[in-house]
Amino acid sequence: MFHKILIANRGEIACRVIKTAQENGIRTVAVYSDADSNARHVRLADEAHHIGGAEARESYLLADVILEVALKSGAEAIHPGYGFLSENAEFSEACEKAGIAFIGPSADSIRSMGLKDKAKEIMSKANVPVVPGYQGQDQAPDNLQAEADKIGYPVLIKAVAGGGGKGMRLVENSADFKSLLESCQREAAASFGNDHVLIEKYLTKPRHIEVQVFGDNFGNAVYLHERDCSLQRRHQKVVEEAPAPGMSDAMRKAMGDAAVTAAKAIGYSGAGTIEFIVDVQNGLENAPFYFMEMNTRLQVEHPVTELITGQDLVDWQLRIAAGEPLPLAQEDIPLRGHAFEVRLYAEDPENNFMPQTGKITHFSCPEQNENFRLDTGVEEGDEVSIYYDPMIAKLIVWGRDRDAALRHMNKALGETAVAGLKCNLEFLGKIMGHAAFQAADLDTGFIERFKQDLMPEDNKADHVILCLAAMAELEPQITEGDPWDYSDGWRMNMSLNTVLTFIDREDSRDIEVTYRENSFLLTIEGEELDVRILSHTGSCLDIVVNGQKISAKVVKDGQNFTIFHNSTVSYLHHYLAGAEGEEETGGSGVIITPMPGKVSQVMVKEGEHVEQGTPLMILEAMKMEHTIKAQVTGRVEGLSLSAGDQVTDGEVLIRIIEDEEE
Ligand code: ADP
Ligand code: ADP
Ligand code: MG
């Protein structure tokens, strides 16, 4: 076994690999960029080396620099994690040449599976079923269109080099084909440096079920059962579970065998995932399944497999890379109970899942135990930057069966709180609480189909939440002395009858506060509530509203309140008249960058008159395009930015001089 390894990655996966290495007495070397000098993986590793700038291409993608650090520090092997260099054949080869073990498959295996068209061809030859379609080399638009017509609509155009849900276009009919082909090729060329595409039959009710495989250097391969990753947004996984609900033993074996056949067809060594798409129009029983792609690395969602098999997959990877045979034979691989993973992202589900950046001012989770595991790359006080994936953590649970696991997940989500930036915590809770999810009625269209339930548009904080905010606001003044002692300062600086105003999204919500004998009378939108504080420790606040106890977490940061109650997350801002900046009043014509990024398009000209809601420019940030729209009707003035310009956080993008009111 190795004595020292380098982890060529960051975030939760770097921390995950360090954990197993340390348990095995292996010393760990971290590498980090300018943005990560004090990141959790750097704090955890035995040694850490700076490798360059914040942009991935200036640090985590610098194969030569990383290899040099490995040699210098005496690491015998490199674990690439996922993303970055993990599926880079040249890097695997360069490691081998330098006499350093690459903890992953050979360069040949990576190459075989690196492009989706070639991978499908290899799989077809090995008699693994693939999605019907065209994966030939003739890329002439007329030919591709003819092939799509032959397959029959809807079809999916996929960039052969695509990944992470990017480079795909759904085409509903022949007339739309050419323009969608063009935009797919453009995105593919820009994102992957390769504009080749394949055409596939688009399944209208599929489940994404993938099989974890492992191969060793002695020609053996096994499968560690399946994961269901059907819950996706933008073709990217949000919730994963194992085993796939409703999967029969016979189908598990058929898919497992197909996956092992696939791995053996390319002499695979190490951890890999064979992704299948299953046509569940007529249910899962005996449903047709097709090979989609192989990910030649450890997968983000590997923990659910670890929890149902009781195996440490990173340990397996280390052993195999060190030349040991597979730790278990196929028939000895357990399948016990049920596991879920949810990806906690810094993103705003209600705003098209727009990634969020900033400091995590509060992060609390339940204690880890046999039912709950937390994999994270950050702690309270850390930053989510624009440079990398906005995943904050993965919450993983195990239960004796699916219902038990669901209960554990609901409990874990209910006891988790993140403040400082918006995240998808409430959205995840709504998925877990949804009747269709509980009934395991899954397919990849789930989130889109139930978006009204998962992201309700009229999501206003209810009165109990406003009571919590009011109590948290008044509380410090209450506890500083005896609140009901008329002679103390509390009464001096806060009149007994006052109005608190909270900004809740676009609305302003008023709470009339009246002091009573032992409680407060709060009047909110005509409703009278008798409220008192029961206890307050840290962020935990218990209050009694009209005789009913309410337990919540309230994180107060200046005038901003993040309130966690009953699986809802509310963001409120305490409005202080006269103390607010101009932007706070809303409806201003000055638009500040929501995040640093690059202006990719400017659609308006200096002096142009625009209506409220008119798209003004497109900002490219965090690997996504964001359309900036006019918030008021008026005239564009002092426009200084043009396509290609970089903007930093808080910079003024554009000014609209609002029309005079008639
Ligand atoms: P998984 O199935 O494990 O979610 P994904 O393909 O969605 O795999 O992505 C895993 C990680 O690798 C993510 O962090 C994603 O951002 C990154 N990733 C995947 N493909 C690419 C790619 N082509 N270019 C850059 N990053 C990628
Ligand atoms: P990536 O490399 O981006 O992960 P995949 O080929 O694995 O690309 O596809 C990502 C997702 O897109 C799948 O999990 C599935 O939800 C959807 N998808 C892919 N192929 C099809 C198809 N033929 N029909 C319907 N949905 C598909
Ligand atoms: Mg995939």
Side-chain angles (χ1 to χ4, degrees):
M1 186 42 74
F2 310 116
H3 298 99
K4 193 175 196 177
I5 64 169
L6 180 146
I7 297 109
N9 215 300
R10 64 175 304 283
E12 68 86 17
I13 194 61
C15 299
R16 164 72 193 88
V17 174
I18 290 171
K19 181 168 178 283
T20 291
Q22 289 180 341
E23 279 168 11
N24 288 322
I26 299 170
R27 293 189 60 79
T28 53
V29 182
V31 291
Y32 64 93
S33 71
D34 285 345
D36 279 339
S37 52
N38 189 35
R40 184 164 184 262
H41 76 283
V42 172
R43 301 197 291 266
L44 291 181
D46 297 308
E47 246 177 76
H49 298 262
H50 177 250
I51 50 167
E55 296 274 358
R57 64 183 142 69
E58 293 170 6
S59 50
Y60 299 108
L61 288 172
L62 293 177
D64 298 352
V65 175
I66 291 172
L67 209 48
E68 206 175 293
V69 172
L71 289 167
K72 206 170 60 190
S73 64
E76 303 148 84
I78 295 182
H79 195 301
Y82 54 71
F84 299 128
L85 294 169
S86 63
E87 296 179 271
N88 184 312
E90 288 71 43
F91 185 58
S92 169
E93 223 157 45
C95 288
E96 203 179 321
K97 272 209 196 103
I100 288 184
F102 177 74
I103 304 171
S106 67
D108 282 348
S109 291
I110 297 176
R111 278 196 192 101
S112 304
M113 293 295 153
L115 298 177
K116 292 182 202 287
D117 52 348
K118 195 170 160 204
K120 281 180 81 173
E121 212 146 274
I122 295 171
M123 289 304 124
S124 257
K125 283 205 184 107
N127 289 320
V128 176
V130 300
V131 187
Y134 174 76
Q135 50 265 351
Q137 293 309 306
D138 184 350
Q139 295 283 309
D142 285 336
N143 177 57
L144 293 172
Q145 168 120 46
E147 292 291 344
D149 292 347
K150 218 182 323 173
I151 296 163
Y153 295 87
V155 300
L156 200 56
I157 308 175
K158 269 190 197 176
V160 299
K166 273 185 127 186
M168 284 195 276
R169 293 293 182 281
L170 168 62
V171 191
E172 307 269 8
N173 55 63
S174 192
D176 297 342
F177 185 85
K178 288 265 172 67
S179 69
L180 287 164
L181 171 67
E182 242 175 70
S183 92
C184 185
Q185 288 171 325
R186 223 180 14 243
E187 181 177 309
S191 304
F192 314 112
N194 175 344
D195 69 356
H196 273 224
V197 299
L198 59 79
I199 317 286
E200 243 171 44
K201 179 82 200 155
Y202 180 75
L203 306 182
T204 50
K205 198 181 180 210
R207 268 167 75 175
H208 173 123
I209 299 180
E210 58 184 36
V211 178
Q212 176 70 57
V213 293
F214 257 93
D216 64 16
N217 298 315
F218 308 96
N220 306 306
V222 294
Y223 63 89
L224 284 84
H225 315 306
E226 78 283 359
R227 297 182 283 258
D228 193 312
C229 312
S230 299
L231 259 84
Q232 305 180 347
R233 53 120 180 78
R234 253 190 261 119
H235 302 297
Q236 253 194 347
K237 302 156 188 168
V238 183
V239 176
E240 301 101 348
E241 61 183 295
M247 180 75 107
S248 67
D249 291 342
M251 187 155 171
R252 172 168 302 118
K253 184 166 184 328
M255 289 183 78
D257 286 343
V260 166
T261 303
K264 283 189 170 163
I266 56 166
Y268 198 75
S269 157
T273 294
I274 312 284
E275 295 190 334
F276 292 104
I277 191 144
V278 186
D279 189 347
V280 294
Q281 280 182 85
N282 304 310
L284 182 60
E285 193 66 42
N286 300 319
F289 61 86
Y290 309 99
F291 170 87
M292 238 181 343
E293 65 162 346
M294 179 171 191
N295 293 325
T296 52
R297 55 171 161 87
L298 191 68
Q299 201 95 334
V300 176
E301 57 275 18
H302 76 278
V304 292
T305 299
E306 298 190 314
L307 294 191
I308 61 158
T309 58
Q311 306 301 307
D312 178 337
L313 300 195
V314 174
D315 181 52
W316 279 47
Q317 286 189 296
L318 293 172
R319 286 170 188 279
I320 286 158
E324 291 181 27
L326 284 169
L328 288 179
Q330 186 64 59
E331 57 276 17
D332 298 327
I333 295 171
L335 197 179
R336 215 179 117 253
H338 202 96
F340 285 102
E341 172 183 284
V342 297
R343 301 189 188 188
L344 188 60
Y345 278 112
E347 65 181 20
D348 183 4
E350 286 169 32
N351 193 3
N352 198 24
F353 301 98
M354 163 126 50
Q356 308 287 302
T357 57
K359 186 172 175 165
I360 301 172
T361 56
H362 176 93
F363 183 22
S364 54
C365 264
E367 286 289 311
Q368 299 194 57
N369 58 32
E370 59 162 6
N371 297 111
F372 174 69
R373 164 172 161 187
L374 175 73
D375 279 18
T376 177
V378 294
E379 283 162 17
E380 190 170 294
D382 287 346
E383 296 269 340
V384 175
S385 76
I386 56 154
Y387 300 106
Y388 317 110
D389 196 282
M391 191 163 75
I392 297 171
K394 306 185 301 203
L395 311 189
I396 310 130
V397 297
W398 181 89
R400 121 179 61 78
D401 53 28
R402 191 172 189 268
D403 287 344
L406 254 173
R407 281 196 298 276
H408 289 297
M409 184 58 91
N410 275 314
K411 183 168 176 288
L413 286 169
E415 292 172 12
T416 297
V418 179
L421 34 65
K422 283 194 178 167
C423 74
N424 64 345
L425 182 63
E426 176 173 321
F427 173 72
L428 295 171
K430 287 209 155 69
I431 292 175
M432 291 294 139
H434 201 280
F437 185 77
Q438 292 178 348
D441 183 8
L442 310 176
D443 65 82
T444 59
F446 187 97
I447 289 175
E448 185 57 30
R449 180 158 64 251
F450 295 116
K451 68 176 175 210
Q452 265 313 315
D453 302 337
L454 305 174
M455 299 165 266
E457 269 167 19
D458 50 348
N459 208 354
K460 276 171 71 176
D462 61 27
H463 290 177
V464 163
I465 302 296
L466 294 170
C467 291
L468 285 159
M471 289 302 106
E473 179 58 35
L474 296 171
E475 204 273 342
Q477 307 174 51
I478 299 169
T479 47
E480 267 158 27
D482 180 350
W484 287 281
D485 174 356
Y486 277 71
S487 63
D488 75 13
W490 176 72
R491 195 188 155 213
M492 304 285 283
N493 51 33
M494 174 72 65
S495 94
L496 290 182
N497 297 306
T498 186
V499 177
L500 299 174
T501 301
F502 287 93
I503 308 294
D504 175 16
R505 290 154 208 273
E506 279 83 54
D507 299 328
S508 115
R509 319 271 310 264
D510 286 345
I511 307 175
E512 279 172 52
V513 183
T514 312
Y515 165 78
R516 277 179 169 174
E517 192 78 349
N518 277 309
S519 65
F520 293 90
L521 172 69
L522 303 188
T523 310
I524 308 171
E525 287 142 10
E527 188 187 6
E528 296 198 333
L529 301 130
D530 179 77
V531 186
R532 68 186 164 90
I533 293 178
L534 206 54
S535 67
H536 190 189
T537 30
S539 60
C540 295
L541 176 65
D542 287 2
I543 63 172
V544 179
V545 179
N546 288 346
Q548 198 193 333
K549 180 182 164 186
I550 306 289
S551 294
K553 273 190 190 172
V554 180
V555 181
K556 194 177 160 202
D557 183 11
Q559 284 151 249
N560 293 320
F561 291 70
T562 314
I563 303 179
F564 305 85
H565 170 64
N566 211 1
S567 298
T568 66
V569 184
S570 310
Y571 305 94
L572 298 175
H573 175 83
H574 182 203
Y575 178 77
L576 296 172
E580 302 283 330
E582 215 185 317
E583 308 89 300
E584 307 279 2
T585 55
S588 149
V590 181
I591 300 177
I592 311 280
T593 43
M595 58 184 74
K598 194 174 92 188
V599 175
S600 56
Q601 205 181 331
V602 179
M603 287 99 116
V604 290
K605 291 194 195 67
E606 174 71 12
E608 189 173 329
H609 188 266
V610 294
E611 296 291 318
Q612 184 184 6
T614 308
L616 304 170
M617 55 174 71
I618 295 179
L619 185 68
E620 213 179 276
M622 302 193 80
K623 300 182 190 156
M624 278 178 59
E625 289 194 339
H626 310 283
T627 305
I628 308 294
K629 293 182 184 158
Q631 292 169 350
V632 296
T633 298
R635 203 169 35 79
V636 176
E637 197 186 276
L639 178 63
S640 61
L641 294 168
S642 52
D645 287 348
Q646 292 284 345
V647 288
T648 56
D649 211 356
E651 191 171 325
V652 172
L653 279 175
I654 196 162
R655 273 194 185 82
I656 314 276
I657 305 301
E658 197 172 0
D659 290 350
E660 297 286 318
E661 275 174 37
E662 312 288 309

